[in-house]
């Protein structure tokens, strides 16, 4: 059937493709086109829009000499070495945490003047820590691949279907600033299929469900008319086969969105660290904001409204039992 419809192309038709087939059948029957409904945009912003600038609070040579004998001097020297100048975001977070602990341990050993200057640097580094945590999450290459459309690796994880679980694990790790656990969780994402296409599929399916529901709701359901009987045939032949894949999509989208929400929620309140407008929009598109549901909640709402739109016709034609 799908070959005859020309929907297979180079692979299996998507949930939106199959729902489009349902909509086209209803449109042909009713001789009317459903109102256009553009799917919401769910795309991870580019790296330039994800990065958060962090001031570099360095320890000058004069104060550095005074820290010799403290572990702080070793940490600072390692950072200034040729191999330590460029760090991956997670490694930079680990370094900043190491510096903070080293300063705290070193302060009691310094004279009053140098201790005061170092205390100012300590306060600045503590204030900047949430921004380093943000970058450790949103600049990670494994997470970027997973949330966009990059192909999965053949190796790199224990379970190729645990992406949502690893997102929640990353949220726990960043909340307690456990960098090793964070890096381990991101490594486990390498063999998972990308989440980006799955979230976009949920948005596209939502649009089609809403358009179908708008059409079906216009058909009187006080009796089983000829049009109503033909609608039930479209429902049985075209929609029933997509119910299973649609339920899988609903489940997958819900799990992925829960994981992404958890990561956002584990970071500092968004108003305090001031991310870009693009990242705010991405968070709203995925997880929702105010009265606007996120991509998973919108799909669940569309599924319910779609079922409600069909229920009158199906009851009138005794395809499903009516309310007692």
């Amino acid at each position: 059937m799908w070959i005859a419809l020309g929907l297979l192309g180079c692979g299996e038709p998507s949930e939106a493709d199959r729902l489009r087939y349902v909509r086209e059948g209803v449109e042909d029957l009713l001789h009317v086109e459903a109102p256009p409904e553009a799917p919401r945009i769910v795309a991870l912003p580019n790296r330039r829009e994800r990065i958060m600038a962090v001031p570099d609070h360095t320890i000058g040579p004069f104060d550095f000499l005074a820290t010799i004998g403290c572990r702080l001097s070793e940490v600072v020297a390692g950072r200034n070495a040729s191999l330590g100048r460029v760090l991956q975001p997670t490694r930079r977070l680990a370094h900043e945490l190491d510096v903070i602990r080293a300063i705290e341990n070193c302060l009691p050993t310094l004279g009053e003047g140098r201790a005061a200057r170092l205390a100012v640097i300590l306060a600045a580094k503590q204030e900047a820590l949430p921004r380093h945590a943000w970058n450790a999450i949103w600049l990670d290459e494994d997470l970027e691949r997973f949330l966009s459309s990059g192909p999965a690796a053949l190796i790199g994880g224990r379970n190729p279907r645990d992406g949502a679980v690893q997102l929640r694990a990353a949220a726990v790790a960043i909340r307690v600033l456990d960098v090793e656990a964070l890096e381990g969780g991101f490594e486990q994402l390498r063999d998972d299929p990308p989440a980006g296409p799955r979230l976009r599929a949920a948005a596209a399916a939502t649009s089609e469900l809403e358009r179908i529901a708008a059409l079906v709701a216009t058909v009187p359901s006080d009796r089983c008319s000829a049009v109503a009987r033909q609608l039930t045939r479209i429902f049985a032949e075209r929609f029933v086969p997509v119910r299973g894949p649609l339920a899988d999509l609903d489940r997958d989208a819900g799990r992925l969105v829960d994981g992404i929400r958890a990561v956002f929620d584990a970071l500092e309140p968004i108003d305090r660290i001031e991310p870009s407008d693009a990242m705010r929009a991405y968070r709203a598109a995925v997880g929702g904001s105010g009265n606007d549901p996120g991509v998973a909640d919108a799909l669940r709402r569309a599924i319910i409204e779609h079922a409600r739109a069909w229920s009158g016709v199906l009851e009138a034609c005794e395809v499903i039992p009516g309310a007692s």
Side-chain angles (χ1 to χ4, degrees):
M1 179 178 66
W2 296 113
I3 296 177
L5 292 169
L7 292 176
L8 278 176
C10 296
E12 286 296 320
S14 68
E15 296 83 4
D17 290 333
R18 299 184 182 200
L19 290 170
R20 189 176 304 114
Y21 179 48
V22 178
R23 171 172 59 80
E24 289 170 351
V26 178
E27 288 175 332
D28 291 343
L29 174 62
L30 302 182
H31 304 291
V32 62
E33 290 187 3
E37 182 73 30
R40 71 170 59 215
I41 298 174
V42 187
L44 182 69
N46 61 45
R47 190 177 184 87
R48 178 176 54 82
E49 293 172 312
R50 298 198 309 273
I51 193 169
M52 191 166 289
V54 185
D56 193 8
H57 305 286
T58 58
I59 298 173
F62 182 67
D63 290 322
F64 172 73
L65 291 174
T67 65
I68 293 177
C70 294
R71 183 172 172 275
L72 177 60
S73 62
E74 300 173 9
V75 175
V76 173
R79 178 71 176 91
N80 292 334
S82 59
L83 295 179
R85 289 174 185 165
V86 178
L87 298 176
Q88 293 295 323
T90 52
R91 288 291 89 205
R92 180 61 189 273
L93 174 60
H95 169 77
E96 293 298 319
L97 289 167
D98 206 11
V99 169
I100 287 173
R101 287 189 291 265
I103 291 177
E104 290 172 338
N105 291 332
C106 192
L107 278 175
T109 70
L110 300 177
E112 183 177 346
R114 289 195 175 110
R117 288 193 295 271
L118 205 56
V120 171
I121 294 176
L122 174 62
K125 286 188 171 293
Q126 290 171 330
E127 184 179 356
L129 201 57
R131 292 172 174 264
H132 288 295
W134 172 278
N135 288 338
I137 290 283
W138 296 114
L139 299 185
D140 184 84
E141 293 179 355
D142 291 320
L143 181 67
E144 177 183 42
R145 194 283 311 170
F146 178 68
L147 292 182
S148 52
S149 302
L154 296 178
I155 58 174
R158 293 183 294 272
N159 183 345
R161 293 287 175 179
D162 66 345
V165 173
Q166 296 304 333
L167 288 177
R168 291 193 294 273
V172 173
I174 201 65
R175 194 182 294 276
V176 298
L177 296 176
D178 185 340
V179 179
E180 290 187 3
L182 180 66
E183 291 175 330
F186 285 156
E187 288 174 0
Q188 292 299 315
L189 292 175
R190 292 176 183 174
D191 63 339
D192 282 75
R198 204 63 176 148
L199 295 177
R200 289 193 291 275
T206 299
S207 175
E208 289 296 337
L209 286 166
E210 291 172 347
R211 298 182 74 186
I212 295 168
L215 287 171
V216 175
T218 66
V219 178
S221 58
D222 55 335
R223 61 188 180 87
C224 186
S225 64
V227 170
R229 282 195 298 273
Q230 292 180 70
L231 271 179
T232 63
R233 189 174 301 115
I234 292 173
F235 181 88
E237 295 177 357
R238 300 196 181 195
F239 178 70
V240 168
V242 79
R243 287 192 300 185
L246 190 59
D248 292 341
L249 181 61
D250 175 49
R251 179 202 62 215
D252 292 348
R255 291 175 178 175
L256 289 169
V257 167
D258 285 346
I260 296 172
R261 279 176 175 161
V263 171
F264 272 112
D265 291 344
L267 294 161
E268 282 281 316
I270 200 165
D271 291 331
R272 288 181 56 183
I273 52 180
E274 300 177 350
S276 68
D277 291 341
M279 283 301 291
R280 289 178 183 271
Y282 176 71
R283 183 183 191 183
V286 172
S289 176
N291 294 326
D292 180 27
V295 62
D297 291 339
L299 175 59
R300 178 65 56 83
R301 180 182 299 181
I303 290 172
I304 293 172
E305 292 302 319
H306 178 268
R308 183 176 291 118
W310 281 97
S311 62
V313 168
L314 297 178
E315 288 178 8
C317 293
E318 299 182 348
V319 176
I320 60 174
S324 58

